[in-house]
Structures are given as C-alpha cells and as structure tokens.
C-alpha cells in the first residue's frame, strides 16, 4: 500500500519508532546544548507564547519555559512527552503544556504563537512542504521561527545515508530528513512567508564515544531510527554484520581524541 501524507499507518509507525530504545539518553547525554542554542537564537523571553514542534523530551521546550515563556511542547510520541513532563518538573519548569500533535497537521489556530521552533525535530516529518506550511501558519505576523537541523553532509546526515541501503524504502513523496539542514531547501519551503532569514552551520561536540563501535552500540540501543534499521535485517546475519561495520567505520572517521563534531544548521526567520 502506498502511504499518503494522511496515512494513519505511517504516523503510527513513526510514533512507535521514536518510542523505541531510549531517546531521552540521546537528548540528555549527547545534545542538551542544542535546545539552549535554539532558545537563545529565537531570543525567547518572558511572556512569549512559544510552540516547540517535535519537542521530544523537552530539549528546547524546557529551557524556553525556564526563560519565562509560555510554552507548548508538541510531539507525535506521547511516550517522549511523558518523559519530558517529568524532566520539566525536575527542572522547576512545571507550567508547560504537553500536546501530542503531528507536525504536518498542527491542532493550533493560525497565528497563535510569538515563536515557533524545532530542534532536530520537524525535519523528521516526511512531507516537508506540509510541515513547513503548518509551522508558518501558526506563527503570528512578526513572530519568530527557529530551527536546528542536522545537515546532509554532517555526521548525522551521513549516518542516515549509511543506514538507507539497509532500510525499507520511504513512502512515495517523502523527503530525507537532513534536507532540512540545507539552507536553500528551507528557504524554498518557507518562501515569501518569512523575512530576515539567517542561517549558519555550526558544530556540536560529542565527547561520549572513544570509538565508532561505541557510538554504534549506543545508537543501536537508544535511537529509534537505528533500531528500526536493525530490526528490518534481523534475520540476515550478513547484512547485520555489514551495517555494524559501516556504522563503526563512519563513527571512527569522525572521532578525534575522543570528540566527534556533528554539524547542524541553525536557521532563524521572521514571519511576514
Ligand atoms: C531527534 S528527536 C528530537 C527531539 C527534541 N526536539 C530534541 O531536541 O531532543 C525527533 C523528534 O521528532 C518527533 N517526530 C517525528 N515525526 C514527527 C511528526 N510527524 N510530528 C511531530 N513530531 C514528530 C519524534 O517523536 C521525536 O521526538
């Protein structure tokens, strides 16, 4: 069956995928600084009405709330939002609203937010035009948009490229997540609905892995898309060994003295 943008099967698959493993460890141990980077880039402050799309466990939503904003954290995965809710209470940010929502069909009014942001999140909604149209729709004129996305040529983009031959083909019309890390693509998606676009490629330093094999094993245990890639070839020892080798080799190419540099695109814009 061909999946369409409205396919409930596809949404259920994606919801289940992100609930696998332990995404909270990825957010908490590897990339916590990205949420703060995004909050600062969006100049979020007291009283701002903020939507975090694909918020996961609240990597950006929680620092936004701590900055005094009125935050709605939305995500396809109720499991991740539940973990985020507990994290928020621990952090002393207990006034967020947590809402299960598909980035391609947001349950919010037009122009409802002063700031709409997404930290390596909206990029995983497969139909980019639809997600971008929803993002723009819910920001008020003059409001801010902020996005952190893995680039195609950076480490996580390369990890997805490495896993691709081992995975089931994506549904018709779906676009690869790291295209949101390509400035030209995002400018095209947002079109003339935004002004003052600023984009900058940056690196986040990851010091959790000494070897590519350590990175691979962490992702095999914690990261939904990697777990799904391995499940698809679980009956095939040769293919599994090939993916094991390919991910370890990719990781080794990026580790230098215990540090990996993962490239991302930080893009901000103002709603026209
Ligand atoms: C890599 S995680 C990022 C989470 C969080 N923003 C962070 O910085 O840690 C990707 C998130 O996108 C969410 N997601 C994937 N597809 C989505 C969709 N169509 N609508 C809403 N959220 C989605 C996943 O559930 C997951 O929480």
């Amino acid at each position: 069956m061909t999946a369409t943008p409205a396919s409930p099967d596809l949404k259920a698959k994606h919801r289940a995928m992100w609930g696998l493993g332990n995404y909270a460890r990825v957010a908490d141990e590897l990339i916590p600084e990205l949420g703060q980077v995004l909050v600062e880039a969006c100049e979020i402050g007291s009283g701002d009405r903020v939507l975090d799309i694909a918020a996961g466990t609240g990597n950006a939503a929680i620092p936004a709330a701590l900055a005094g904003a009125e935050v709605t954290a939305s995500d396809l995965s109720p499991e991740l939002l539940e973990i985020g809710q507990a994290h928020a209470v621990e952090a002393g940010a207990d006034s967020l609203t947590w809402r299960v929502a598909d980035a391609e069909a947001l349950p919010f009014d037009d122009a409802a937010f002063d700031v709409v942001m997404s930290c390596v999140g909206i990029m995983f909604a497969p139909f980019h035009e639809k997600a971008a149209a929803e993002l723009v729709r819910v920001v008020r004129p003059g409001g801010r948009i902020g996005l952190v996305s893995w680039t195609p040529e950076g480490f996580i983009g390369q990890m997805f490229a490495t896993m691709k031959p081992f995975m089931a083909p994506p549904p018709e019309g779906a676009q690869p997540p790291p295209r949101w890390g390509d400035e030209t693509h995002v400018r095209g998606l947002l079109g003339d609905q935004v002004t003052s676009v600023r984009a900058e490629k940056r690196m986040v330093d990851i010091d959790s892995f000494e070897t590519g094999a350590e990175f691979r094993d962490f992702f095999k245990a914690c990261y939904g898309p990697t777990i799904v890639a391995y499940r698809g070839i679980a009956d095939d020892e040769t293919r599994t060994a090939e993916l094991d080798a390919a991910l370890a080799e990719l990781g080794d190419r990026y580790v230098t003295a215990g540090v990996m540099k993962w490239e991302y695109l930080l893009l901000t814009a103002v709603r026209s």
Side-chain angles (χ1 to χ4, degrees):
M1 191 183 76
T2 303
T4 67
S7 163
D9 285 356
L10 181 63
K11 296 302 169 194
K13 246 166 79 177
H14 284 182
R15 182 176 294 130
M17 175 175 78
W18 287 102
L20 293 172
N22 190 344
Y23 180 74
R25 284 195 66 195
V26 176
D28 296 347
E29 296 176 29
L30 304 184
I31 56 164
E33 78 181 57
L34 293 186
Q36 187 64 40
V37 162
L38 187 54
V39 168
E40 285 170 19
C42 294
E43 298 178 4
I44 290 171
S46 191
D48 279 332
R49 293 164 304 161
V50 175
L51 174 65
D52 185 0
I53 296 177
T57 53
N59 195 14
I62 294 172
L66 292 173
E70 195 185 298
V71 180
T72 300
S74 67
D75 198 280
L76 202 53
S77 164
E79 290 88 357
L80 295 187
L81 290 180
E82 205 173 304
I83 296 168
Q85 221 163 342
H87 278 18
V89 172
E90 278 165 32
D94 48 8
S95 66
L96 293 94
T97 301
W98 300 86
R99 183 89 186 257
V100 175
D102 177 6
E104 293 170 358
L106 293 172
F108 307 111
D109 290 339
D110 295 358
F113 297 96
D114 301 305
V115 179
V116 178
M117 62 178 180
S118 189
C119 182
V120 296
I122 196 171
M123 62 183 293
F124 292 101
F127 301 101
H128 294 191
E129 279 78 13
K130 222 167 175 327
E134 282 294 86
L135 180 157
V136 166
R137 180 181 68 74
V138 300
V139 194
R140 69 162 170 80
R144 285 102 71 203
I145 290 168
L147 301 169
V148 163
S149 310
W150 301 120
T151 64
E153 60 282 4
F155 180 72
I156 296 293
Q158 289 302 300
M159 182 190 75
F160 276 97
T162 301
M163 294 193 309
K164 190 175 174 203
F166 296 89
M167 299 184 80
E172 202 180 316
Q175 290 183 283
R179 292 216 66 202
W180 278 89
D182 171 352
E183 178 183 342
T184 307
H185 180 67
V186 183
R187 281 180 180 270
L189 289 173
L190 301 177
D192 59 7
Q193 310 238 53
V194 301
T195 58
S196 311
V197 177
R198 296 174 63 172
E200 191 190 331
K201 284 183 185 173
R202 293 191 183 181
M203 296 285 184
V204 56
D205 284 355
I206 307 295
D207 62 5
S208 303
F209 310 115
E210 291 292 331
T211 65
E214 279 181 25
F215 140 75
R216 177 201 64 207
D217 292 342
F218 183 94
F219 269 60
K220 271 175 92 165
C222 295
Y223 193 67
T226 308
I227 294 168
V228 166
Y230 275 96
R231 283 191 177 177
I233 55 173
D235 294 341
D236 188 334
E237 278 179 28
T238 308
R239 296 288 284 154
T240 300
E242 282 169 8
L243 182 55
D244 271 348
L247 287 176
E249 191 269 331
L250 175 74
D252 281 335
R253 277 198 276 129
Y254 281 79
V255 182
T256 305
V259 178
M260 301 177 91
K261 290 193 176 296
W262 294 2
E263 187 184 67
Y264 64 93
L265 182 75
L266 173 64
L267 186 141
T268 56
V270 174
R271 173 78 160 97
S272 307

mmCIF file of all heavy atoms in Angstrom, residues 11 14-15 17-19 23 26-27 31 34-35 52-60 74-77 80 101-104 118-122 124-126 150 223, ligand 1:
data_model
loop_
_atom_site.group_PDB
_atom_site.id
_atom_site.type_symbol
_atom_site.label_atom_id
_atom_site.label_comp_id
_atom_site.label_asym_id
_atom_site.label_seq_id
_atom_site.Cartn_x
_atom_site.Cartn_y
_atom_site.Cartn_z
ATOM 1 N N LYS A 11 1.922 7.319 10.327
ATOM 2 C CA LYS A 11 2.045 8.069 11.592
ATOM 3 C C LYS A 11 2.239 7.104 12.760
ATOM 4 O O LYS A 11 3.053 7.356 13.649
ATOM 5 C CB LYS A 11 0.801 8.924 11.841
ATOM 6 C CG LYS A 11 0.591 10.007 10.810
ATOM 7 C CD LYS A 11 1.771 10.945 10.739
ATOM 8 C CE LYS A 11 1.674 11.863 9.532
ATOM 9 N NZ LYS A 11 2.938 12.556 9.247
ATOM 10 N N HIS A 14 5.788 5.854 12.714
ATOM 11 C CA HIS A 14 6.759 6.847 13.190
ATOM 12 C C HIS A 14 6.635 7.061 14.693
ATOM 13 O O HIS A 14 7.634 7.198 15.396
ATOM 14 C CB HIS A 14 6.563 8.170 12.441
ATOM 15 C CG HIS A 14 7.117 8.114 11.049
ATOM 16 N ND1 HIS A 14 7.101 9.174 10.185
ATOM 17 C CD2 HIS A 14 7.696 7.111 10.364
ATOM 18 C CE1 HIS A 14 7.658 8.814 9.030
ATOM 19 N NE2 HIS A 14 8.020 7.563 9.124
ATOM 20 N N ARG A 15 5.399 7.084 15.169
ATOM 21 C CA ARG A 15 5.183 7.253 16.619
ATOM 22 C C ARG A 15 5.862 6.108 17.372
ATOM 23 O O ARG A 15 6.579 6.326 18.351
ATOM 24 C CB ARG A 15 3.681 7.263 16.890
ATOM 25 C CG ARG A 15 3.331 7.479 18.344
ATOM 26 C CD ARG A 15 1.822 7.564 18.526
ATOM 27 N NE ARG A 15 1.281 8.733 17.880
ATOM 28 C CZ ARG A 15 0.229 8.751 17.045
ATOM 29 N NH1 ARG A 15 -0.405 7.632 16.754
ATOM 30 N NH2 ARG A 15 -0.188 9.866 16.513
ATOM 31 N N MET A 17 8.301 4.203 16.300
ATOM 32 C CA MET A 17 9.762 4.225 16.109
ATOM 33 C C MET A 17 10.445 5.136 17.133
ATOM 34 O O MET A 17 11.458 4.775 17.733
ATOM 35 C CB MET A 17 10.084 4.707 14.689
ATOM 36 C CG MET A 17 11.560 4.871 14.423
ATOM 37 S SD MET A 17 11.884 5.287 12.704
ATOM 38 C CE MET A 17 11.480 7.016 12.686
ATOM 39 N N TRP A 18 9.882 6.327 17.350
ATOM 40 C CA TRP A 18 10.544 7.268 18.261
ATOM 41 C C TRP A 18 10.375 6.873 19.725
ATOM 42 O O TRP A 18 11.109 7.346 20.596
ATOM 43 C CB TRP A 18 10.056 8.690 17.985
ATOM 44 C CG TRP A 18 10.641 9.210 16.702
ATOM 45 C CD1 TRP A 18 10.012 9.305 15.502
ATOM 46 C CD2 TRP A 18 11.990 9.642 16.484
ATOM 47 N NE1 TRP A 18 10.888 9.769 14.548
ATOM 48 C CE2 TRP A 18 12.098 9.989 15.116
ATOM 49 C CE3 TRP A 18 13.119 9.765 17.300
ATOM 50 C CZ2 TRP A 18 13.285 10.461 14.555
ATOM 51 C CZ3 TRP A 18 14.299 10.233 16.733
ATOM 52 C CH2 TRP A 18 14.380 10.575 15.387
ATOM 53 N N GLY A 19 9.410 5.988 19.980
ATOM 54 C CA GLY A 19 9.249 5.494 21.352
ATOM 55 C C GLY A 19 10.181 4.329 21.671
ATOM 56 O O GLY A 19 10.279 3.903 22.811
ATOM 57 N N TYR A 23 15.326 7.453 23.688
ATOM 58 C CA TYR A 23 15.707 8.734 23.074
ATOM 59 C C TYR A 23 16.132 9.759 24.132
ATOM 60 O O TYR A 23 17.003 10.592 23.874
ATOM 61 C CB TYR A 23 14.593 9.316 22.178
ATOM 62 C CG TYR A 23 15.088 10.612 21.603
ATOM 63 C CD1 TYR A 23 16.050 10.609 20.591
ATOM 64 C CD2 TYR A 23 14.734 11.840 22.166
ATOM 65 C CE1 TYR A 23 16.630 11.774 20.136
ATOM 66 C CE2 TYR A 23 15.299 13.020 21.721
ATOM 67 C CZ TYR A 23 16.241 12.978 20.706
ATOM 68 O OH TYR A 23 16.827 14.142 20.267
ATOM 69 N N VAL A 26 19.745 10.170 24.376
ATOM 70 C CA VAL A 26 20.365 10.922 23.279
ATOM 71 C C VAL A 26 20.259 12.422 23.583
ATOM 72 O O VAL A 26 21.242 13.169 23.500
ATOM 73 C CB VAL A 26 19.677 10.596 21.923
ATOM 74 C CG1 VAL A 26 20.263 11.441 20.803
ATOM 75 C CG2 VAL A 26 19.796 9.109 21.613
ATOM 76 N N ALA A 27 19.059 12.859 23.956
ATOM 77 C CA ALA A 27 18.854 14.286 24.225
ATOM 78 C C ALA A 27 19.656 14.747 25.446
ATOM 79 O O ALA A 27 20.303 15.792 25.415
ATOM 80 C CB ALA A 27 17.364 14.565 24.427
ATOM 81 N N ILE A 31 23.096 15.800 23.212
ATOM 82 C CA ILE A 31 22.833 17.094 22.563
ATOM 83 C C ILE A 31 22.031 18.088 23.425
ATOM 84 O O ILE A 31 21.256 18.877 22.885
ATOM 85 C CB ILE A 31 22.123 16.891 21.198
ATOM 86 C CG1 ILE A 31 20.817 16.080 21.360
ATOM 87 C CG2 ILE A 31 23.054 16.253 20.199
ATOM 88 C CD1 ILE A 31 19.888 16.160 20.150
ATOM 89 N N LEU A 34 21.898 21.878 22.382
ATOM 90 C CA LEU A 34 21.201 22.387 21.191
ATOM 91 C C LEU A 34 19.888 23.085 21.547
ATOM 92 O O LEU A 34 19.490 24.055 20.893
ATOM 93 C CB LEU A 34 20.946 21.254 20.192
ATOM 94 C CG LEU A 34 22.185 20.649 19.546
ATOM 95 C CD1 LEU A 34 21.778 19.642 18.475
ATOM 96 C CD2 LEU A 34 23.074 21.731 18.928
ATOM 97 N N GLY A 35 19.204 22.599 22.570
ATOM 98 C CA GLY A 35 17.954 23.240 22.981
ATOM 99 C C GLY A 35 18.207 24.669 23.440
ATOM 100 O O GLY A 35 17.504 25.609 23.044
ATOM 101 N N ASP A 52 7.038 24.477 20.582
ATOM 102 C CA ASP A 52 8.158 23.614 20.187
ATOM 103 C C ASP A 52 7.553 22.441 19.416
ATOM 104 O O ASP A 52 6.781 21.649 19.977
ATOM 105 C CB ASP A 52 8.900 23.132 21.441
ATOM 106 C CG ASP A 52 10.152 22.323 21.111
ATOM 107 O OD1 ASP A 52 10.448 22.130 19.911
ATOM 108 O OD2 ASP A 52 10.833 21.888 22.063
ATOM 109 N N ILE A 53 7.877 22.353 18.125
ATOM 110 C CA ILE A 53 7.357 21.262 17.280
ATOM 111 C C ILE A 53 8.324 20.081 17.356
ATOM 112 O O ILE A 53 9.536 20.261 17.229
ATOM 113 C CB ILE A 53 7.229 21.732 15.809
ATOM 114 C CG1 ILE A 53 6.204 22.862 15.686
ATOM 115 C CG2 ILE A 53 6.853 20.558 14.900
ATOM 116 C CD1 ILE A 53 6.077 23.429 14.274
ATOM 117 N N ALA A 54 7.782 18.877 17.534
ATOM 118 C CA ALA A 54 8.602 17.667 17.669
ATOM 119 C C ALA A 54 9.580 17.841 18.838
ATOM 120 O O ALA A 54 10.789 17.652 18.718
ATOM 121 C CB ALA A 54 9.320 17.329 16.364
ATOM 122 N N ALA A 55 9.007 18.191 19.961
ATOM 123 C CA ALA A 55 9.771 18.582 21.152
ATOM 124 C C ALA A 55 10.457 17.416 21.849
ATOM 125 O O ALA A 55 11.355 17.620 22.672
ATOM 126 C CB ALA A 55 8.836 19.275 22.137
ATOM 127 N N GLY A 56 10.014 16.196 21.581
ATOM 128 C CA GLY A 56 10.620 15.031 22.222
ATOM 129 C C GLY A 56 10.483 15.110 23.732
ATOM 130 O O GLY A 56 9.382 15.260 24.275
ATOM 131 N N THR A 57 11.622 15.039 24.424
ATOM 132 C CA THR A 57 11.606 15.086 25.888
ATOM 133 C C THR A 57 11.843 16.507 26.421
ATOM 134 O O THR A 57 12.183 16.676 27.583
ATOM 135 C CB THR A 57 12.657 14.106 26.455
ATOM 136 O OG1 THR A 57 13.930 14.404 25.844
ATOM 137 C CG2 THR A 57 12.292 12.671 26.136
ATOM 138 N N GLY A 58 11.696 17.509 25.540
ATOM 139 C CA GLY A 58 11.719 18.902 26.004
ATOM 140 C C GLY A 58 13.070 19.589 25.957
ATOM 141 O O GLY A 58 13.289 20.588 26.656
ATOM 142 N N ASN A 59 13.946 19.101 25.088
ATOM 143 C CA ASN A 59 15.309 19.647 24.991
ATOM 144 C C ASN A 59 15.323 21.161 24.799
ATOM 145 O O ASN A 59 16.151 21.860 25.385
ATOM 146 C CB ASN A 59 16.011 18.945 23.811
ATOM 147 C CG ASN A 59 17.510 19.130 23.812
ATOM 148 O OD1 ASN A 59 18.095 19.553 24.809
ATOM 149 N ND2 ASN A 59 18.131 18.806 22.694
ATOM 150 N N ALA A 60 14.415 21.683 23.986
ATOM 151 C CA ALA A 60 14.319 23.144 23.780
ATOM 152 C C ALA A 60 13.158 23.727 24.580
ATOM 153 O O ALA A 60 13.235 24.862 25.060
ATOM 154 C CB ALA A 60 14.142 23.448 22.292
ATOM 155 N N SER A 74 5.013 20.072 21.668
ATOM 156 C CA SER A 74 4.177 19.126 20.910
ATOM 157 C C SER A 74 5.056 18.067 20.256
ATOM 158 O O SER A 74 6.201 18.352 19.887
ATOM 159 C CB SER A 74 3.371 19.879 19.839
ATOM 160 O OG SER A 74 4.234 20.391 18.855
ATOM 161 N N ASP A 75 4.537 16.881 20.123
ATOM 162 C CA ASP A 75 5.300 15.788 19.513
ATOM 163 C C ASP A 75 4.332 14.673 19.125
ATOM 164 O O ASP A 75 3.254 14.535 19.703
ATOM 165 C CB ASP A 75 6.350 15.244 20.500
ATOM 166 C CG ASP A 75 7.452 14.439 19.819
ATOM 167 O OD1 ASP A 75 7.217 13.241 19.504
ATOM 168 O OD2 ASP A 75 8.533 14.998 19.578
ATOM 169 N N LEU A 76 4.779 13.864 18.160
ATOM 170 C CA LEU A 76 3.999 12.698 17.741
ATOM 171 C C LEU A 76 4.000 11.605 18.816
ATOM 172 O O LEU A 76 3.092 10.778 18.867
ATOM 173 C CB LEU A 76 4.656 12.153 16.463
ATOM 174 C CG LEU A 76 3.873 11.291 15.492
ATOM 175 C CD1 LEU A 76 2.580 11.952 15.066
ATOM 176 C CD2 LEU A 76 4.741 11.010 14.254
ATOM 177 N N SER A 77 5.041 11.589 19.649
ATOM 178 C CA SER A 77 5.226 10.478 20.590
ATOM 179 C C SER A 77 4.761 10.831 22.009
ATOM 180 O O SER A 77 5.423 11.619 22.704
ATOM 181 C CB SER A 77 6.714 10.091 20.631
ATOM 182 O OG SER A 77 6.967 9.306 21.773
ATOM 183 N N LEU A 80 7.505 10.079 24.704
ATOM 184 C CA LEU A 80 8.579 11.063 24.897
ATOM 185 C C LEU A 80 8.059 12.286 25.652
ATOM 186 O O LEU A 80 8.747 12.829 26.515
ATOM 187 C CB LEU A 80 9.207 11.464 23.552
ATOM 188 C CG LEU A 80 9.941 10.335 22.814
ATOM 189 C CD1 LEU A 80 10.669 10.878 21.587
ATOM 190 C CD2 LEU A 80 10.935 9.616 23.712
ATOM 191 N N ALA A 101 0.900 15.884 18.889
ATOM 192 C CA ALA A 101 0.495 16.548 17.639
ATOM 193 C C ALA A 101 1.441 16.158 16.518
ATOM 194 O O ALA A 101 2.654 16.033 16.724
ATOM 195 C CB ALA A 101 0.533 18.068 17.819
ATOM 196 N N ASP A 102 0.876 15.987 15.344
ATOM 197 C CA ASP A 102 1.659 15.723 14.141
ATOM 198 C C ASP A 102 2.090 17.060 13.544
ATOM 199 O O ASP A 102 1.247 17.941 13.319
ATOM 200 C CB ASP A 102 0.759 14.947 13.157
ATOM 201 C CG ASP A 102 1.446 14.673 11.835
ATOM 202 O OD1 ASP A 102 2.648 14.971 11.691
ATOM 203 O OD2 ASP A 102 0.747 14.157 10.936
ATOM 204 N N ALA A 103 3.377 17.201 13.266
ATOM 205 C CA ALA A 103 3.893 18.445 12.683
ATOM 206 C C ALA A 103 3.221 18.777 11.354
ATOM 207 O O ALA A 103 3.206 19.935 10.942
ATOM 208 C CB ALA A 103 5.403 18.313 12.483
ATOM 209 N N GLU A 104 2.666 17.767 10.701
ATOM 210 C CA GLU A 104 2.031 18.006 9.391
ATOM 211 C C GLU A 104 0.551 18.374 9.518
ATOM 212 O O GLU A 104 -0.110 18.626 8.503
ATOM 213 C CB GLU A 104 2.199 16.753 8.513
ATOM 214 C CG GLU A 104 3.656 16.515 8.152
ATOM 215 C CD GLU A 104 3.908 15.160 7.501
ATOM 216 O OE1 GLU A 104 2.958 14.371 7.347
ATOM 217 O OE2 GLU A 104 5.077 14.903 7.155
ATOM 218 N N SER A 118 11.903 24.369 16.371
ATOM 219 C CA SER A 118 12.042 22.915 16.385
ATOM 220 C C SER A 118 13.524 22.551 16.385
ATOM 221 O O SER A 118 14.298 23.048 15.562
ATOM 222 C CB SER A 118 11.342 22.282 15.178
ATOM 223 O OG SER A 118 11.336 20.871 15.343
ATOM 224 N N CYS A 119 13.890 21.691 17.327
ATOM 225 C CA CYS A 119 15.292 21.285 17.497
ATOM 226 C C CYS A 119 15.437 19.852 16.977
ATOM 227 O O CYS A 119 14.910 18.914 17.602
ATOM 228 C CB CYS A 119 15.656 21.363 18.976
ATOM 229 S SG CYS A 119 17.368 20.931 19.310
ATOM 230 N N VAL A 120 16.104 19.687 15.854
ATOM 231 C CA VAL A 120 16.241 18.395 15.158
ATOM 232 C C VAL A 120 14.948 17.573 15.266
ATOM 233 O O VAL A 120 14.976 16.370 15.562
ATOM 234 C CB VAL A 120 17.488 17.585 15.609
ATOM 235 C CG1 VAL A 120 18.760 18.331 15.238
ATOM 236 C CG2 VAL A 120 17.520 17.272 17.106
ATOM 237 N N GLY A 121 13.826 18.237 15.003
ATOM 238 C CA GLY A 121 12.530 17.603 15.207
ATOM 239 C C GLY A 121 11.659 17.611 13.964
ATOM 240 O O GLY A 121 11.391 16.550 13.377
ATOM 241 N N ILE A 122 11.251 18.791 13.507
ATOM 242 C CA ILE A 122 10.346 18.877 12.357
ATOM 243 C C ILE A 122 10.982 18.199 11.133
ATOM 244 O O ILE A 122 10.279 17.708 10.256
ATOM 245 C CB ILE A 122 9.987 20.350 12.052
ATOM 246 C CG1 ILE A 122 8.761 20.424 11.131
ATOM 247 C CG2 ILE A 122 11.148 21.119 11.492
ATOM 248 C CD1 ILE A 122 8.204 21.831 10.948
ATOM 249 N N PHE A 124 12.026 15.431 10.822
ATOM 250 C CA PHE A 124 11.645 14.018 10.712
ATOM 251 C C PHE A 124 10.194 13.807 10.266
ATOM 252 O O PHE A 124 9.755 12.663 10.131
ATOM 253 C CB PHE A 124 11.935 13.294 12.022
ATOM 254 C CG PHE A 124 13.415 13.194 12.281
ATOM 255 C CD1 PHE A 124 14.052 14.043 13.169
ATOM 256 C CD2 PHE A 124 14.184 12.283 11.558
ATOM 257 C CE1 PHE A 124 15.434 13.979 13.363
ATOM 258 C CE2 PHE A 124 15.566 12.211 11.740
ATOM 259 C CZ PHE A 124 16.184 13.064 12.647
ATOM 260 N N ALA A 125 9.464 14.887 10.032
ATOM 261 C CA ALA A 125 8.140 14.751 9.420
ATOM 262 C C ALA A 125 8.389 14.557 7.915
ATOM 263 O O ALA A 125 9.085 15.361 7.300
ATOM 264 C CB ALA A 125 7.303 15.991 9.699
ATOM 265 N N PRO A 126 7.858 13.504 7.311
ATOM 266 C CA PRO A 126 8.331 13.136 5.967
ATOM 267 C C PRO A 126 7.911 14.050 4.817
ATOM 268 O O PRO A 126 8.585 14.092 3.801
ATOM 269 C CB PRO A 126 7.730 11.737 5.765
ATOM 270 C CG PRO A 126 6.615 11.629 6.754
ATOM 271 C CD PRO A 126 6.958 12.514 7.899
ATOM 272 N N TRP A 150 20.002 18.727 11.449
ATOM 273 C CA TRP A 150 21.245 18.069 11.023
ATOM 274 C C TRP A 150 21.444 18.310 9.528
ATOM 275 O O TRP A 150 20.482 18.237 8.755
ATOM 276 C CB TRP A 150 21.188 16.561 11.292
ATOM 277 C CG TRP A 150 20.963 16.205 12.725
ATOM 278 C CD1 TRP A 150 19.924 15.485 13.245
ATOM 279 C CD2 TRP A 150 21.813 16.526 13.839
ATOM 280 N NE1 TRP A 150 20.072 15.352 14.606
ATOM 281 C CE2 TRP A 150 21.210 15.984 15.003
ATOM 282 C CE3 TRP A 150 23.009 17.231 13.979
ATOM 283 C CZ2 TRP A 150 21.773 16.121 16.270
ATOM 284 C CZ3 TRP A 150 23.568 17.363 15.246
ATOM 285 C CH2 TRP A 150 22.964 16.824 16.365
ATOM 286 N N TYR A 223 18.454 4.782 19.798
ATOM 287 C CA TYR A 223 17.921 5.709 18.787
ATOM 288 C C TYR A 223 16.947 4.993 17.854
ATOM 289 O O TYR A 223 17.339 4.105 17.094
ATOM 290 C CB TYR A 223 19.106 6.284 18.005
ATOM 291 C CG TYR A 223 18.779 7.476 17.129
ATOM 292 C CD1 TYR A 223 18.404 8.698 17.687
ATOM 293 C CD2 TYR A 223 18.878 7.403 15.744
ATOM 294 C CE1 TYR A 223 18.131 9.800 16.885
ATOM 295 C CE2 TYR A 223 18.616 8.499 14.939
ATOM 296 C CZ TYR A 223 18.245 9.693 15.520
ATOM 297 O OH TYR A 223 17.987 10.797 14.726
HETATM 298 C C1 LIG B 1 15.608 13.579 17.110
HETATM 299 S S1 LIG B 1 14.136 13.770 18.052
HETATM 300 C C2 LIG B 1 14.264 15.465 18.603
HETATM 301 C C3 LIG B 1 13.530 15.742 19.877
HETATM 302 C C4 LIG B 1 13.842 17.072 20.564
HETATM 303 N N1 LIG B 1 13.393 18.200 19.804
HETATM 304 C C5 LIG B 1 15.301 17.196 20.908
HETATM 305 O O1 LIG B 1 15.928 18.212 20.588
HETATM 306 O O2 LIG B 1 15.815 16.285 21.580
HETATM 307 C C6 LIG B 1 12.920 13.834 16.800
HETATM 308 C C7 LIG B 1 11.528 14.026 17.346
HETATM 309 O O3 LIG B 1 10.624 14.235 16.266
HETATM 310 C C8 LIG B 1 9.387 13.647 16.617
HETATM 311 N N2 LIG B 1 8.612 13.485 15.382
HETATM 312 C C9 LIG B 1 8.903 12.685 14.326
HETATM 313 N N3 LIG B 1 7.966 12.835 13.373
HETATM 314 C C10 LIG B 1 7.068 13.744 13.830
HETATM 315 C C11 LIG B 1 5.876 14.310 13.314
HETATM 316 N N4 LIG B 1 5.397 13.978 12.111
HETATM 317 N N5 LIG B 1 5.213 15.210 14.074
HETATM 318 C C12 LIG B 1 5.660 15.540 15.307
HETATM 319 N N6 LIG B 1 6.774 15.037 15.850
HETATM 320 C C13 LIG B 1 7.482 14.151 15.123
HETATM 321 C C14 LIG B 1 9.803 12.362 17.299
HETATM 322 O O4 LIG B 1 8.779 11.787 18.053
HETATM 323 C C15 LIG B 1 10.992 12.844 18.122
HETATM 324 O O5 LIG B 1 10.576 13.293 19.382
#
